[in-house]
Every structure is written in C-alpha cells, then in structure tokens.
Amino acid sequence: MEKGLTLVKNVKWSENLFDLTIEQATGLIVSIETAGTDADLTSVNIAGRPTTVIDADGLHYVPPMTDMHTHLDKHFIGEPWKSLQPFVTLPGQLEFEKSMLGELPTGAGERAIRMLDLMLAQGTTAIRTHVDVDPQIGLSHLEEVLEVREMYRGRIDMEIVAFPQQGLLRSDSVSVMRQALRAGANYVGGVDPAGLDRRVDASLEAMFELATEFSAGIDLHLHDPSHLGIYTISRFAELTEQASMSGRTAVSHAYCLGQVGETEVRSLAERLCATGVAIMTSVPIDRPMPPIKLLMETGVSLHIGSDNILDSWSPFGNGDMLSRGSRLAEASGWVEDFWLLETYKLISNAPLTPKVGERGTFSLVNAINAMHALAAAPPREAVFSGGVLVGGRMFPNSRQMAAIHS
C-alpha cells in the first residue's frame, strides 16, 4: 500500500494553533500551516495522497526527548519487587548487582523491550544505553540489545556503549570489549579508573586505544570524588585532544565537579569546552551534582540521562525525561522563563518548535506553554516518531502498557 501523509491538526505553540503535515515514507514534516486554513498540498506535489488526520485539539507541542545515560539491560521493570541493600562499597554493590541479575527469569532483550516501550510512551525517541560486557557474561547482553535496536529502528535512535561494569582492567575486559565493538557497540565504556581499576592512566589509555582501534567514541562512568575525580577528568580531556576525538567523548556523573571550588571547576570547564568533552548527569539528589549553570555558561556540552530505573542500585526512577528536566530546574532554582526553556537543551536534541524538513517526532501535552510543560511534566497525550503515533495516552495499547510497567 502506498504510504501517504499524517496531518496533525490544531497543535499549539507560540500561543497559536498549527497544522503539521508529515510524509509517512520519509517521516519528515512537509508543511506547517496556521490552523483553520487549508494546507497548500499542491505546492509540494502531494495532492491526492491518502492522509491520516489526527486532531490535537489544542494540545501543546513538546520536542522529542533524549536520554543520554540509561541501562536497558539491568532494570527490574515488570519483575516481582526486589528488596535492595544500602550502598557500602562499590565492589560489594557490583557483586550484589551481578547476583540479582543472575536470578532474573528474563533476558536482557526482554528487559530492553519493556524499558523502550516505557520510554516511547513518555516521548523519548533517542537514547544512549550502557550494556554490560565482561569475561563471565561475554556479549550475551549486548547481542540481545543489538537485536532489539533493530526492532525499534525508525522509532528510537539508539547508541550503545560497551560497558565493563566490573572495571575495565579489574575484570580483564579489554579482550571482550574488542569483541563488543566488532559486534556493533558504538562507544567504549569505562568506570572509575582510580576507585575501581586502581590505575588511572593505564585505565584511560586502554579506553582511548580501543576507541582509536575501532573509530568509536568513549563514555566514562566517573564516581571518583573531589580532586581525584578532577585529575581524572583533566587527564581524560588531555587524551581526547591527543586522539583528535573532540565531540566524541563524555564523562558521565562527574560528581567531583560539585565537590571542589568554583575557580577550579571553571578552569576545567574551559578545558572541557576547548577539547569537546561532554558531561552527562542524571540529576542526583543524594550526592553533589556538577554545577550545571556554570558549565552551560562556559560552553560545555551537557546532557541528562535517567541512569538507574528500578534496579539493584535504586528503586526510584520512571524513565520520564521531561520529569527529569523538571527536577533539574527545580533543584537549580530555575524559575525564570529563560532557564526553563534552556533546560530543554539538556533533554532534547531538537528545537522547541517544529520546522519543515525536520523529522516529525514530538509529543503533545496539556500545557499552557513550553515553560509550563517543563515545570509540570504532564502526561504525554500523544507521541509521534517520524509522523507515526507510537506512544502516549492516544496510543491504543498505552494504557495496558502502563499497567504492566507499574
């Protein structure tokens, strides 16, 4: 059957209503017209095409969400309740996690599907997921997540980080990381070069050697505190520059940036900006957070991720990136319209309003304006990916799906 058009009428932004016409074959917006007028279909040579019409009835446009730090393979969504233990030491927690994951009746692929369905229902259409690899589990998690990535192609864009959760050097994972990168992982992962691997330079150099060998990016989990963490980030930036990898490396968490003085952070932030190293934060409320406003003002590339969602580390989290952005704004005291709008840059890679020629991927919510949508994080009434309705309360299966996920 010939693919036609999707016409989403009466979508609100900038205090006005608009009609969006999306080409189903390409997923691109081909026309934006003021609501109440007839779209000039002949001007783009699509007159007479079959058209699916959806009336937004004044719901507000929200750009597609991006989750830049999640773990599709390690959550317990859809599983019986799991009682957790307090965090004491990182090695102890890693053993606890490995034990809990080993007891699950489901595989990484099934868990990934549950998480992706939840994310789609909440308007997230691009993610970066860290997937565990090590000599014991091999590529089993990765192989299943790679299959799921193909299943969701066209609905969710997915970057995969091969993640040596047990420590790159500590678990002797360099060899299995090579296998993971050959299999299709996009990024080299790492974790705490000092606190876990106990060899900062050797750990970082191994990551960059792998990245260079496979033309991959790098995304480092860094929990190491204070000046130890600052040294690690500084060295990471230096290696990024030496490897000519500007714009392809990131440090996740980076709690240390919230544990030293402003002068020191500003100096390092300028270095990160110059070398193109991004910072990923999950907006923690139980430990210091990087000074987001300072980093933004310095020009550092910043993104937000959900990280733990109902897993062996934390029972909290729901995968809602609009809500996560709202948490950042509230924790930061950002009540002005300017900073509420700036928050969208951390949770979305798209502009606040749609453009002709851009992909028809967005959500619809009941909100006064974009600032209100960020502050209230209302339910997604509809989620479109490439002009196809894929989630939200208008989606036929979303109510049943929400019941399963709860």
Side-chain angles (χ1 to χ4, degrees):
M1 180 182 294
E2 179 189 15
K3 288 189 175 181
L5 307 170
T6 299
L7 176 59
V8 187
K9 298 180 65 66
N10 300 309
V11 179
K12 182 181 179 183
W13 71 86
S14 301
E15 308 302 325
N16 296 306
L17 299 181
F18 298 87
D19 297 339
L20 277 65
T21 304
I22 303 164
E23 169 69 64
Q24 292 174 359
T26 63
L28 302 180
I29 298 172
V30 294
S31 175
I32 300 175
E33 303 289 340
T34 301
T37 64
D38 292 329
D40 184 11
L41 300 180
T42 58
S43 66
V44 287
N45 196 30
I46 54 176
R49 302 281 297 282
T51 302
T52 300
V53 179
I54 298 174
D55 191 352
D57 196 23
L59 293 172
H60 201 282
Y61 179 95
V62 171
M65 298 290 103
T66 301
D67 187 330
M68 290 297 286
H69 189 111
T70 191
H71 296 265
L72 290 182
D73 59 327
K74 301 206 290 189
H75 62 82
F76 302 149
I77 293 170
E79 303 290 342
W81 179 258
K82 307 292 183 183
S83 299
L84 303 187
Q85 66 180 19
F87 179 93
V88 179
T89 66
L90 183 54
Q93 184 66 27
L94 294 177
E95 286 303 314
F96 178 67
E97 177 187 64
K98 209 169 183 68
S99 172
M100 295 195 81
L101 289 174
E103 294 171 358
L104 293 179
T106 51
E110 184 175 345
R111 294 194 295 274
I113 288 169
R114 291 175 182 173
M115 178 76 82
L116 291 173
D117 285 345
L118 180 61
M119 289 176 160
L120 272 175
Q122 297 174 143
T124 294
T125 58
I127 69 168
R128 177 179 294 179
T129 181
H130 299 252
V131 178
D132 281 14
V133 298
D134 63 44
Q136 283 70 51
I137 65 172
L139 303 187
S140 59
H141 287 203
L142 177 64
E143 288 168 347
E144 292 189 46
V145 172
L146 284 168
E147 290 181 7
V148 171
R149 177 165 70 176
E150 291 306 309
M151 291 172 54
Y152 282 77
R153 191 173 295 277
R155 288 179 288 168
I156 290 185
D157 295 326
M158 188 187 305
E159 296 177 337
I160 297 177
V161 183
F163 182 43
Q165 172 72 89
Q166 304 294 317
L168 178 60
L169 303 183
R170 176 178 177 267
S171 63
D172 194 21
S173 289
V174 171
S175 177
V176 73
M177 289 286 286
R178 282 198 172 91
Q179 297 172 34
L181 292 161
R182 289 191 191 100
N186 311 104
Y187 282 79
V188 175
V191 57
D192 292 350
L196 199 57
D197 276 343
R198 301 287 182 176
R199 290 181 285 166
V200 176
D201 284 356
S203 180
L204 291 177
E205 287 166 5
M207 292 175 214
F208 277 88
E209 287 169 5
L210 286 166
T212 300
E213 181 179 351
F214 291 93
S215 299
I218 302 175
D219 193 329
L220 167 67
H221 278 63
L222 183 65
H223 314 95
D224 288 334
S226 194
H227 291 93
L228 178 59
I230 294 296
Y231 169 78
T232 303
I233 295 177
S234 179
R235 183 75 177 117
F236 188 86
E238 181 181 355
L239 290 171
T240 295
E241 184 175 37
Q242 290 175 4
S244 299
M245 291 183 61
S246 177
R248 299 170 55 206
T249 68
V251 178
S252 289
H253 302 310
Y255 303 133
C256 58
L257 293 173
Q259 297 173 317
V260 298
E262 179 179 334
T263 300
E264 192 168 1
V265 173
R266 188 175 297 277
S267 175
L268 183 54
E270 291 170 355
R271 179 77 171 136
L272 296 177
C273 182
T275 55
V277 175
I279 296 294
M280 312 293 185
T281 180
S282 60
V283 194
I285 57 177
D286 59 343
R287 63 193 69 198
M289 181 171 62
I292 300 301
K293 182 181 283 191
L294 186 156
L295 296 176
M296 292 177 73
E297 291 172 342
T298 310
V300 175
S301 178
L302 282 163
H303 304 278
I304 293 177
S306 55
D307 194 20
N308 305 108
I309 300 173
L310 184 58
D311 61 10
S312 61
W313 300 75
S314 169
F316 305 109
N318 59 6
D320 185 344
M321 291 307 297
L322 190 60
S323 178
R324 186 66 54 140
S326 182
R327 179 163 102 169
L328 171 65
E330 184 176 11
S332 303
W334 294 353
V335 299
E336 310 100 312
D337 287 357
F338 173 82
W339 284 105
L340 292 173
L341 295 179
E342 284 291 288
T343 305
Y344 279 100
K345 296 177 181 178
L346 307 181
I347 56 176
S348 176
N349 291 329
L352 276 172
T353 56
K355 310 289 182 186
V356 171
E358 297 290 334
R359 192 162 171 79
T361 301
F362 56 92
S363 295
L364 299 175
V365 300
N366 187 4
I368 300 168
N369 52 34
M371 294 80 76
H372 180 217
L374 190 284
R380 301 326 92 88
E381 302 297 335
V383 178
F384 294 88
S385 182
V388 177
L389 183 63
V390 296
R393 300 207 288 194
M394 289 184 187
F395 188 63
N397 297 320
S398 64
R399 294 182 191 277
Q400 296 95 314
M401 193 160 58
I404 292 171
H405 290 316
S406 65

